[in-house]
Amino acid sequence: MSKDIHPVDNYCRSYWMSNPDKLANYRSTVDLPLHSDIVIIGSGYSGSACAYYLYKYGQSNKNPLMITMVEARETCSGATGRNGGHLKPDVYYSYKRYSEKYGRKIAESLMQFEAKHIQAMSALISEENIQCDWEVTRSCDAYINLELAEEAKASFQQRCADGADVDDIHEIPSDDLLAITKVKNVVYGITFTAASIHPYKLIHHLLNKCIEQGMNLQTNTSVLNATRLPSGQWSIVTSRGTIHTSKVIFATNAYTAGILPLFNNKIVPVRGTICRILPSLRYQQSPLKMTYSIRIKESQFDYMIARQTGDRSIILGGAKPAHHSETKIWYNNWDDSIEFINEKSKNYFEEFMPKYFDGWGTDDGGCQEFWTGILGFSSDLLPFVGELPDQSNGYIIAGFLGHGMSRILLCARALVDVILGRMKNIEELIPEPYVITRSRLATKENCILKHMGVHVGPIETDERTA
């Protein structure tokens, strides 16, 4: 693994970033503060949610918090500003695998934790009056592959047999599959509550609120090194100077190992690609109402949200069949300067809707934008959250596998409760397998390539391949 993991300067722009917020390149002060109570590295969902809860629960008139957020590029230009805008909890798909690895109780806690994010996000948006195109809807997993469908059904049935409350999860009757999903050749379908959102608007609303309460935001400021000093404080060396802080939160996701070497091989940057499509005339007149995962093969699915606002454009991500065999172009690759991974992935997206959706037609507006994003894949396929072992006052919230929208909010709230001393044990607030431990860091296990459907020998990935 290369240790030179850092955000590139010449990044492409996503659809969400097309109308930059006033905070895009904002600096609260001309100079970098020399000292801070808390430094948050990263201005995406994790960092912004942590900042929001720190002010919500830790701010007081007598002892105002001095929080500095540093961002290597413009605000929310990493994975959060490039994702699918899809808050889709895993409520059955991984249950069997989790149960076999962790046991029924923990497997159920992992399912419930993600499902709780729908209500938690709804409450946040309502309380703060956030205008971010939030839409609670149903999500549909449509299976094209019969063998994969049987595995998914077995996982759902096991959760049912284990006594879980699955009233929200509906299997689509076989006779209604095409009518309900509108997906060609679908052999199995299942729906449950999910949501869509404009992630960029969400984050900028939270950050504006934090700045109003005194947070110092410093964009275009790369962190080069973070070291815990013998005094217990942390030294944060940046491209514009050094900050000393009592506590630091690494909300750095895919770029974590570039700052904290102990995460080398534990959080790996994985490059993904995504696009925005204008629907055909028929689908403009009868729009899709659900969000989707189209599951084609093992470890290969495409995800999409049909936006219910504006031009009702469709955000589509994935295209793994077009590039997953070319491991070097996506594994341990943090270059998001190009719009799409390769020409095959571009063609895959352009052909996707007429190929899979019934009666799509040939009069669509096509792909309007393509962009790449860098996901942070953890070696055991679960995020790292909590205080760094043997490095007190250093905290991590990273490694979300492109699935952070249904995990981050409550992780951030839990982490803040620990940082502020409101709760001692973070494992009482989040699923136990999320908690960072010495044993998780020590294991040599790396499940990423297998999870992505690559069954090959060791991959040489020290050099990026654009």
Side-chain angles (χ1 to χ4, degrees), residues 85-349:
H86 197 188
L87 202 164
K88 177 180 180 286
D90 182 352
V91 293
Y92 75 96
Y93 185 79
S94 301
Y95 180 82
K96 191 172 186 294
R97 174 170 63 85
Y98 287 152
S99 184
E100 291 169 353
K101 185 171 184 178
Y102 302 111
R104 292 181 186 179
K105 185 177 179 180
I106 290 179
E108 182 61 23
S109 74
L110 288 161
M111 299 286 105
Q112 290 185 17
F113 186 77
E114 293 195 20
K116 289 176 183 176
H117 276 75
I118 303 290
Q119 183 177 357
M121 182 64 81
S122 290
L124 171 66
I125 288 170
S126 175
E127 179 181 349
E128 298 295 345
N129 191 27
I130 303 174
Q131 304 302 311
C132 58
D133 304 345
W134 174 247
E135 184 82 20
V136 177
T137 182
R138 299 290 288 178
S139 189
C140 174
D141 282 357
Y143 290 82
I144 309 298
N145 180 289
L146 185 59
E147 182 179 356
L148 184 60
E150 291 299 324
E151 292 177 6
K153 189 171 185 177
S155 188
F156 172 56
Q157 290 176 340
Q158 182 172 334
R159 192 176 178 214
C160 294
D162 286 347
D165 180 359
V166 293
D167 288 347
D168 182 60
I169 309 172
H170 302 157
E171 291 181 295
I172 301 173
S174 56
D175 291 344
D176 298 329
L177 279 170
L178 180 60
I180 292 177
T181 69
K182 299 187 179 181
V183 176
K184 299 176 185 177
N185 303 316
V186 60
V187 296
Y188 179 60
I190 191 165
T191 73
F192 45 91
T193 300
S196 62
I197 195 170
H198 193 304
Y200 187 85
K201 289 181 179 179
L202 168 71
I203 300 313
H204 280 272
H205 185 104
L206 295 179
L207 290 180
N208 272 285
K209 184 176 181 65
C210 291
I211 288 170
E212 289 172 2
Q213 296 179 82
M215 188 180 79
N216 190 311
L217 173 62
Q218 296 288 327
T219 63
N220 302 297
T221 305
S222 299
V223 172
L224 309 176
N225 182 268
T227 306
R228 185 180 179 276
L229 304 174
S231 65
Q233 286 217 324
W234 281 78
S235 170
I236 311 299
V237 180
T238 82
S239 56
R240 297 175 49 237
T242 299
I243 314 175
H244 287 90
T245 181
S246 299
K247 301 176 188 293
V248 57
I249 300 173
F250 296 91
T252 40
N253 208 32
Y255 304 100
T256 303
I259 302 172
L260 290 173
L262 76 159
F263 284 95
N264 226 6
N265 290 312
K266 307 312 297 180
I267 298 180
V268 178
V270 169
R271 184 167 62 178
T273 191
I274 194 167
C275 71
R276 183 176 76 96
I277 298 172
L278 289 181
S280 65
L281 180 60
R282 177 182 174 183
Y283 278 74
Q284 289 177 36
Q285 295 171 342
S286 182
L288 295 168
K289 296 293 187 182
M290 297 188 289
T291 69
Y292 283 84
S293 286
I294 311 298
R295 297 191 175 271
I296 302 164
K297 292 183 180 179
E298 181 185 5
S299 304
Q300 293 181 17
F301 67 93
D302 298 283
Y303 59 91
M304 55 176 282
I305 65 165
R307 305 196 68 224
Q308 302 301 309
T309 60
D311 57 15
R312 294 183 178 271
S313 57
I314 291 167
I315 309 297
L316 173 65
K320 281 196 288 187
H323 63 252
H324 82 284
S325 61
E326 300 177 68
T327 312
K328 281 192 174 185
I329 71 170
W330 56 266
Y331 185 82
N332 194 37
N333 194 320
W334 55 93
D335 183 357
D336 56 8
S337 64
I338 58 175
E339 284 73 21
F340 43 85
I341 288 183
N342 59 10
E343 197 68 28
K344 291 180 182 177
S345 62
K346 177 185 177 183
N347 293 338
Y348 182 94
F349 282 141

